[in-house]
Amino acid sequence: MSGRLGGNMKSDAVKKGIQQAPHRSLFHALGLTKEEMDKPLIGIVNSYNEIVPGHMNLDKITEAVKLGVAMAGGVPRVFPAIAVCDGIAMGHEGMKYSLVTRDLIADSTECMARAHQFDALVMIPNCDKNVPGLLMAAARLNIPTIFVSGGPMLAGHLKGKKRSLSSMFEAVGEHAAGKMSDEEVEEYENNVCPTCGSCSGMYTANSMNCLTEVLGMGLKGNGTIPAVYSDRIKLAKHAGMQIMELLKKDIRPRDIMTEEAFMNALTVDMALGCSTNSMLHLPAIAHEAGVELNVDIANEVSERTPNLCHLAPAGPTYMEDLNEAGGVYAVMNELTKKNLLNLDCMTVTGKTVGENIKNCANLNPEVIRPIDNPYSQTGGLAALKGNLAPDSGIVKRSAVVPEMMVHEGPARVFDCEEDAIAAILGGKIVSGDVVVIRYEGPKGGPGMREMLNPTSAIAGMGLGSSVALITDGRFSGASRGASIGHVSPEAAVGGPIALVEEGDIIKINIPEHKLELAVSEEELAKRRAAWTPREPKITTGYLARYAAMVTSGNRGAILELPKR
């Protein structure tokens, strides 16, 4: 890798030569000096907004990054990226607009970076689709890039116990079951989310910020240092300084995000017990990096990777606890004791994974189980297949109670999330049922809504250990229980989930990776012959364009141009 500082820079295309005099005049309009125009131009992608709790502190992170860049000899220029709060978007039409922002974020960042010829980028995301969207952009652009997130929220405290957003959603179900009063619900809502930051459990945002560390695209602590800690500001300054080193050494995202790095990410995903959404995002990021990552490999990785962490919603520990226990690097170091990681992968530190995690001790074996005393010998996620999910379905098995690992029961079929929630809260779902929510996939939704409301309602109603939920949509990282999502092919394209009828027996066997509909092939063939595609729910705007281009959940819901 040859150095770039002192030689030709990408930004020379807008700064050097007589023909660029008009461009320089516009830089003068920004107040840049001649001296600054001789330095590298560093784009700072700031996802700050005032509607997402995980993003309200990103203005502080951005200022720290800018200072770090300037201290190291670069010229920082800030531009925005959008972000949706999945919690606020949950349970209504807004959730159709969550996953789809991942591609908007990647596309808009590509546009800004190419149009203005930045030499390097610092990405400042925090929540849900914002993180993978910017990782996709980084892989696509392939100019030196580093990530620094806004950090996780501290856990709430209520009646002597730590709580989080998943507790809040489940409280709604408990209220519907008559187990909680209006006053108790209000006490929860005033206490479960006490600070800014990404919600405090191992939900999607924190899963992806931790996996950014594992991939090698963020510095130590990127995934775990709480948003309100001063160490987060220091981390941002160091990221700003380190981008100049990456530019000097010409270390680029595709030098870092290799096939081996993605295998490391899948492995640590299993050990941490990350959100099922990582099985959407890792393949999509890998696709942009030119790496084929099939979710089928998840079971192979899971079979050899012990589950070391049970963070909320799987257990009683939170991101602040993981940080104090040594963070992501400590988990990775545990995994090296069974030679489960590739230690030669390059990272944004300019060092290899092995050099980074050496001597990173596990400081709390109750939070990070030692490798010889795991929660389970297999990883936190599993891909299921069968006649109900020929391509795959994904379950967070580390958050499934033992009695639901093998289950069979009658299908209770709903063609949208709202109808399912009404039935659950109305007491129409009983022990043993298998709730099926379909036509909520990437095309059918469109947008593949998260099903945190129904899973939380099931748990709150006291049915978490006796009712399963299956959908071609997806789940929040805050969901727990026998919740199987990403069922592919989805109903909208005629997948078998579209053929399920009320009362059909569904068989779930998570240890054997099976998801079966107990209906004969002859009967399924009759139903398939009678099935007709549904009219699109939305025919205008971005969602209509998205539905026309999106692929299935098992492929990461990536976008492809329609075949001619």
Side-chain angles (χ1 to χ4, degrees):
M1 299 176 191
S2 60
R4 295 177 70 194
L5 291 184
N8 293 329
M9 292 184 288
K10 192 175 183 68
S11 62
D12 287 352
V14 293
K15 294 189 304 187
K16 301 291 185 182
I18 291 296
Q19 290 189 10
Q20 279 64 45
H23 306 70
R24 290 195 295 274
S25 71
L26 293 168
F27 283 121
H28 284 301
L30 292 170
L32 292 190
T33 65
K34 185 178 184 302
E35 290 82 1
E36 286 176 299
M37 281 188 266
D38 288 334
K39 295 179 179 180
L41 192 63
I42 311 299
I44 314 295
V45 188
N46 179 11
S47 303
Y48 168 79
N49 63 49
E50 293 184 336
I51 190 63
V52 182
H55 289 234
M56 63 180 284
N57 66 321
L58 297 191
D59 55 342
K60 310 293 189 302
I61 301 295
T62 299
E63 289 305 312
V65 168
K66 288 173 66 178
L67 185 58
V69 169
M71 285 192 295
V75 178
R77 295 286 95 181
V78 179
F79 64 90
I82 63 169
V84 164
C85 176
D86 276 20
I88 295 173
M90 196 71 65
H92 55 87
E93 71 166 351
M95 183 45 68
K96 294 178 184 291
Y97 287 88
S98 172
L99 177 61
V100 303
T101 65
R102 187 183 71 180
D103 297 275
L104 278 176
I105 291 162
D107 292 348
S108 61
T109 302
E110 175 193 358
C111 291
M112 289 294 288
R114 295 283 191 222
H116 301 100
Q117 294 292 287
F118 288 107
D119 294 302
L121 296 170
V122 182
M123 306 290 202
I124 308 177
N126 209 29
C127 290
D128 295 295
K129 314 313 162 292
N130 189 244
V131 185
L134 289 178
L135 282 165
M136 288 165 66
R140 188 185 300 175
L141 290 161
N142 202 34
I143 60 175
T145 303
I146 193 169
F147 278 66
V148 55
S149 75
M153 185 184 291
L154 294 178
H157 290 265
L158 198 68
K159 298 179 180 177
K161 292 184 179 180
K162 289 184 177 181
R163 301 288 186 180
S164 63
L165 184 65
S166 53
S167 309
M168 186 70 254
F169 275 93
E170 290 179 15
V172 175
E174 291 187 48
H175 181 271
K179 300 176 183 178
M180 189 174 286
S181 67
D182 290 354
E183 292 75 21
E184 288 174 310
V185 172
E186 185 176 6
E187 186 179 10
Y188 265 67
E189 70 180 73
N190 288 330
N191 289 282
V192 298
C193 295
T195 73
C196 64
S198 48
C199 296
S200 55
M202 188 53 80
Y203 310 148
T204 305
N206 293 326
S207 295
M208 294 311 302
N209 282 323
C210 287
L211 295 181
T212 299
E213 254 188 86
V214 182
L215 282 170
M217 292 298 293
L219 299 176
K220 182 176 186 284
N222 179 70
T224 60
I225 297 172
V228 294
Y229 283 14
S230 297
D231 277 352
R232 178 62 58 177
I233 299 297
K234 295 178 184 177
L235 182 72
K237 291 176 183 175
H238 284 135
M241 290 185 273
Q242 186 60 24
I243 191 60
M244 301 306 294
E245 284 298 309
L246 293 173
L247 182 59
K248 181 179 180 179
K249 296 176 181 177
D250 198 22
I251 299 175
R252 305 183 184 213
R254 291 195 184 191
D255 299 324
I256 295 170
M257 290 193 283
T258 61
E259 183 176 351
E260 293 77 15
F262 282 105
M263 292 303 296
N264 281 350
L266 268 178
T267 300
V268 179
D269 186 318
M270 297 299 174
L272 284 171
C274 290
S275 164
T276 51
N277 279 313
S278 61
M279 290 296 101
L280 278 177
H281 299 322
L282 286 175
I285 299 160
H287 176 75
E288 296 289 354
V291 174
E292 184 67 29
L293 191 66
N294 193 310
V295 296
D296 288 348
I297 204 171
N299 290 334
E300 180 185 327
V301 175
S302 182
E303 288 305 308
R304 63 173 181 260
T305 307
N307 179 226
L308 305 182
C309 299
H310 266 193
L311 283 84
T317 54
Y318 294 81
M319 295 304 297
E320 63 205 64
D321 302 312
L322 179 59
N323 187 63
E324 291 168 12
V328 174
Y329 277 17
V331 175
M332 295 174 74
N333 201 32
E334 283 290 337
L335 294 173
T336 64
K337 296 174 183 177
K338 287 194 174 180
N339 299 315
L340 292 173
L341 297 178
N342 186 310
L343 302 182
D344 296 327
C345 295
M346 179 52 61
T347 72
V348 290
T349 65
K351 299 177 181 178
T352 65
V353 167
E355 291 172 306
N356 286 342
I357 68 175
K358 187 179 180 181
N359 301 322
C360 289
N362 178 358
L363 304 178
N364 189 338
E366 296 301 314
V367 176
I368 305 171
R369 287 279 187 93
I371 195 81
D372 56 1
N373 182 34
Y375 282 101
S376 66
Q377 294 294 339
T378 53
L381 299 179
L384 311 185
K385 283 193 174 186
N387 67 348
L388 186 52
D391 291 337
S392 69
I394 301 294
V395 64
K396 186 173 182 174
R397 67 174 162 193
S398 61
V400 179
V401 294
E403 54 267 39
M404 289 298 289
M405 296 296 281
V406 177
H407 177 79
E408 67 176 76
R412 304 299 308 280
V413 184
F414 304 93
D415 287 350
C416 68
E417 177 190 6
E418 289 84 355
D419 290 350
I421 293 170
I424 296 164
L425 295 180
K428 296 179 180 179
I429 302 302
V430 299
S431 178
D433 284 347
V434 179
V435 175
V436 176
I437 306 177
R438 62 192 181 188
Y439 294 100
E440 291 284 9
K443 285 185 179 292
M448 205 177 186
R449 288 196 286 182
E450 287 183 345
M451 303 293 164
L452 179 56
N453 273 1
T455 59
S456 297
I458 287 169
M461 296 285 283
L463 298 170
S465 60
S466 61
V467 169
L469 194 154
I470 297 171
T471 181
D472 53 6
R474 60 195 178 90
F475 296 108
S476 164
S479 291
R480 62 187 176 97
S483 304
I484 301 163
H486 310 190
V487 169
S488 303
E490 62 174 292
V493 299
I497 192 171
L499 310 179
V500 180
E501 294 183 358
E502 187 80 7
D504 285 347
I505 298 300
I506 292 176
K507 297 181 178 182
I508 300 165
N509 191 319
I510 295 173
E512 294 185 7
H513 310 136
K514 292 181 179 178
L515 182 60
E516 298 282 348
L517 183 63
V519 173
S520 70
E521 282 302 312
E522 292 78 13
E523 175 61 23
L524 285 177
K526 288 180 184 178
R527 295 181 189 181
R528 191 172 291 111
W531 179 84
T532 56
R534 300 196 171 195
E535 289 297 317
K537 295 177 183 176
I538 295 174
T539 57
T540 61
Y542 180 61
L543 283 183
R545 296 196 300 275
Y546 181 88
M549 296 176 66
V550 71
T551 62
S552 66
N554 72 303
R555 295 185 58 199
I558 61 173
L559 300 187
E560 286 184 340
L561 292 173
K563 293 180 180 178
R564 294 185 178 182

